[in-house]
Amino acid sequence: MGNNMELGYEMFCYQCEQTAGGKGCTKLGVCGKTPEIAGLQDLLIFQIKGISCYAKTFIEQEQHVDKSIVTFIENALFTTLTNVNFDADAHVKLLRQSQEIKETLKSSVGEINNPTYHATYKLPNDKNEMLKDAYIAGIMYDSSLDPDIRSLRQTVVYGLKGISAYGHQARELGFYSDEVDDFYITALEAVTDDRLTVEDLIRLTMRTGEMAVEIIKQLDDANTSVYDNPSPHTVNVNIKKGPFIIISGHDLKDLEMLLKQTEGTGINIYTHGEMLPSHGYAGLKKYPHLIGNFGGAWQDQQKEFDNLPGCIIMTTNCLMRPRDSYKDRIYSTNVVGWEGVKHIEKKSDGEKDFSPVIRQALELGGFKEDIEPHNILVGFGHEAVLSNAQSIVDAVKSGHIRHFFLIGGCDGARPGRNYYTEFAKLVPNDCIIMTLACGKYRFNKLDFGEAAGIPRLLDIGQCNDAYSAVRIATALADAFETDINGLPLSLIISWYEQKAVADLLALLSLGFKNIYLGPTLPAFISPNVLQYLTDTFNLRLISNAEDDIKTCLRQAV
């Protein structure tokens, strides 16, 4: 593969928090994304915008778009999310499908109102020719574009990428939202429309937040309907003797299929990363060989997986470049991929065959001895917390609980994230910490004790369980006869990739104010857009843990 200029494409990506120099990756993605992959991903987003220009016609006629097309758009968005897919062949396959879909829609729809180049562009079939065209899809291709327009368009697209991850997981369990499915298409078409003003795009951005709320509600309904509501459960975070498979990501259906197929084999199943909260679901923790959780957050996987005597399955992000020491024993599935990594496909009936993973895990033999168990507590979803709502309200009114801190979000490798560990350690003993997403690995093995008989650390779940946090906040607001901003609650959010963007937009669309965000502000937010968010929602950048805690407690008085 040649350099950027040989590709006819200048790589530029700033969708994640760790983007180079806090401005944008131009030579190689910090995530490991090459210019080749970046070009193919930009072109794939360009193509689904073109598909949406045609598909919007059906929505204007009050018809729903064929679900196979919606699923394709959703999977294309998810494929381009940070740390998901680095396999060029997988992208080329999707791109070829995108052109087939676009041409089929064009034949069906005919002339459209907004025939932008996204709609009229004809994708070549050859990968090298695709890469020569990739420049037209680059974020900075139109150098004359108003920076606030570009900022808001990208914010919407990144919000859609986050929504697509949640939508994919819900759809795997048979749940979806027609409203969200339609919005993928109307929003992707809207970001191609040069007639839309900054004010129009601000409204679209807030609408993206509303759709994020809708999709995390759908996913919560899916998970709790299929696997029951999470309940408090202790999870061993040390290893046990015997063969094993580690399963990482977010997809509970994949975990369930793996648990069923490994029953009676003697293989232990460990969760990893964002799969940790699955131990709280009755429908999953009933399997005795779901033995515990392995390792910490996603960014530690390379050293933690190094020379492991077992297998790993990656169901969603975050995948990092596999080292040679374990590349032969790591598997991907769904839209996840890396060149040379074995992939488990879904069969026509929706099931997957994990037998190659199972055979290899048995051959490898696993860990040779136990390490003394060390347990952490998970499973504090909205049902578990709100079943104790009255005692929580009483404890606050009596002064035994002073404040709640939601410390959650994505983790990452860049320096500065120790802030969240320091913050958790400095939270006063009469305050409760709620946490969700992989940011919790910064402090979830610490002993915080109890306050008023309630564990001071409540693990609400995955990043998509932001809905649980919303449900808890709104229910407590009702109990205290106030609104969500009148609660003794502060939100301390860490962000890394686009699911966090969707979650932030969801919170803003619900009216949450005074959110602390870090470690840095998004590079794709222009100064004027940032000023709007600051003025409207008092969104603020984290400073230092001690001062921020004091400010939160002072504002709550």
Side-chain angles (χ1 to χ4, degrees), residues 133-206:
D133 283 355
Y135 73 96
I136 64 170
I139 294 169
M140 297 298 178
Y141 172 59
D142 182 358
S143 59
S144 66
L145 186 64
D146 182 298
D148 298 330
I149 295 286
R150 178 183 288 112
S151 174
L152 290 163
R153 285 179 175 178
Q154 292 306 123
T155 302
V156 169
V157 169
Y158 299 152
L160 291 175
K161 290 188 180 190
I163 289 170
S164 75
Y166 301 146
H168 172 90
Q169 294 160 47
R171 207 176 301 270
E172 287 296 300
L173 293 173
F175 285 69
Y176 60 87
S177 163
D178 284 330
E179 188 178 18
V180 173
D181 288 353
D182 288 348
F183 185 73
Y184 284 137
I185 291 159
T186 56
L188 285 167
E189 188 276 338
V191 297
T192 73
D193 191 343
D194 292 333
R195 296 168 297 183
L196 297 188
T197 65
V198 167
E199 290 73 20
D200 294 329
L201 288 169
I202 285 174
R203 285 191 290 272
L204 184 65
T205 303
M206 291 301 102

Side-chain angles (χ1 to χ4, degrees), residues 12-25:
F12 184 84
C13 181
Y14 60 3
Q15 69 178 8
C16 85
E17 191 273 334
Q18 292 184 180
T19 195
K23 295 180 180 179
C25 294

Side-chain angles (χ1 to χ4, degrees), residues 220-360:
D220 180 79
D221 288 346
N223 288 339
T224 56
S225 296
V226 176
Y227 303 114
D228 207 352
N229 281 292
S231 59
H233 184 74
T234 56
V235 180
N236 179 27
V237 293
N238 282 339
I239 61 176
K240 288 185 69 69
K241 180 180 179 180
F244 65 90
I245 297 171
I246 294 166
I247 183 165
S248 188
H250 305 75
D251 201 302
L252 302 189
K253 185 177 180 180
D254 283 332
L255 173 58
E256 181 188 29
M257 286 189 283
L258 180 65
L259 288 168
K260 287 180 176 178
Q261 292 178 38
T262 50
E263 280 188 295
T265 63
I267 292 175
N268 293 324
I269 304 299
Y270 296 88
T271 56
H272 173 266
E274 284 281 74
M275 202 67 86
L276 167 62
S278 61
H279 291 269
Y281 291 92
L284 297 170
K285 65 185 178 184
K286 68 182 182 183
Y287 294 93
H289 60 302
L290 180 58
I291 208 75
N293 189 74
F294 179 86
W298 65 270
Q299 73 271 9
D300 297 326
Q301 67 186 256
Q302 288 175 320
K303 63 182 180 183
E304 290 177 346
F305 294 166
D306 206 18
N307 291 304
L308 270 180
C311 294
I312 308 111
I313 300 172
M314 302 297 294
T315 68
T316 58
N317 64 323
C318 291
L319 172 64
M320 298 176 72
R321 176 187 292 276
R323 292 179 177 174
D324 290 342
S325 63
Y326 64 87
K327 191 173 183 180
D328 66 334
R329 61 198 69 184
I330 187 170
Y331 295 74
S332 62
T333 191
N334 298 320
V335 301
V336 184
W338 194 290
E339 185 179 359
V341 167
K342 290 165 283 192
H343 190 77
I344 304 295
E345 295 284 357
K346 183 167 66 172
K347 296 187 290 186
S348 58
D349 61 0
E351 294 297 305
K352 296 179 182 179
D353 180 8
F354 289 109
S355 58
V357 195
I358 294 168
R359 284 196 299 270
Q360 188 176 20

Side-chain angles (χ1 to χ4, degrees), residues 92 96 99-100 122-130:
V92 170
R96 288 172 178 155
Q99 187 61 30
E100 292 173 5
K122 183 173 174 57
L123 180 84
N125 194 54
D126 179 74
K127 182 179 78 170
N128 290 331
E129 294 302 312
M130 292 178 189

Side-chain angles (χ1 to χ4, degrees), residues 352-544:
K352 296 179 182 179
D353 180 8
F354 289 109
S355 58
V357 195
I358 294 168
R359 284 196 299 270
Q360 188 176 20
L362 290 169
E363 290 168 3
L364 290 167
F367 296 119
K368 300 303 181 185
E369 59 185 20
D370 293 349
I371 294 180
E372 184 178 351
H374 175 69
N375 292 323
I376 61 174
L377 195 59
V378 302
F380 289 95
H382 54 81
E383 186 74 16
V385 174
L386 294 180
S387 63
N388 294 298
Q390 192 54 54
S391 59
I392 293 172
V393 171
D394 291 343
V396 172
K397 289 182 176 179
S398 66
H400 291 101
I401 294 178
R402 182 171 26 152
H403 203 76
F404 294 84
F405 292 92
L406 175 64
I407 311 174
C410 308
D411 203 1
R414 178 187 286 186
R417 289 180 179 268
N418 285 340
Y419 166 93
Y420 297 95
T421 311
E422 295 166 6
F423 194 105
K425 287 180 176 179
L426 289 172
V427 168
N429 291 334
D430 58 353
C431 299
I432 300 289
I433 300 169
M434 297 187 293
T435 189
L436 49 76
C438 60
K440 62 171 160 270
Y441 282 104
R442 291 277 169 178
F443 49 82
N444 69 338
K445 294 177 185 177
L446 303 176
D447 183 4
F448 288 95
E450 296 184 346
I454 299 169
R456 287 190 58 238
L457 181 64
L458 302 178
D459 186 342
I460 295 173
Q462 296 183 352
C463 51
N464 53 269
D465 290 309
Y467 183 68
S468 273
V470 170
R471 284 279 302 273
I472 291 167
T474 52
L476 291 177
D478 289 342
F480 283 109
E481 298 181 344
T482 185
D483 62 18
I484 50 177
N485 292 306
L487 286 171
L489 168 68
S490 298
L491 278 62
I492 317 298
I493 306 298
S494 57
W495 83 282
Y496 170 67
E497 39 85 331
Q498 296 80 65
K499 293 197 301 296
V501 175
D503 290 344
L504 177 62
L505 294 179
L507 294 172
L508 297 180
S509 75
L510 290 166
F512 279 89
K513 295 185 177 182
N514 302 309
I515 297 173
Y516 287 76
L517 184 67
T520 62
L521 293 173
F524 54 84
I525 298 293
S526 67
N528 287 335
V529 173
L530 176 60
Q531 191 62 52
Y532 168 81
L533 295 174
T534 302
D535 292 345
T536 307
F537 301 103
N538 201 22
L539 185 68
R540 58 182 71 191
L541 180 65
I542 60 172
S543 58
N544 69 77

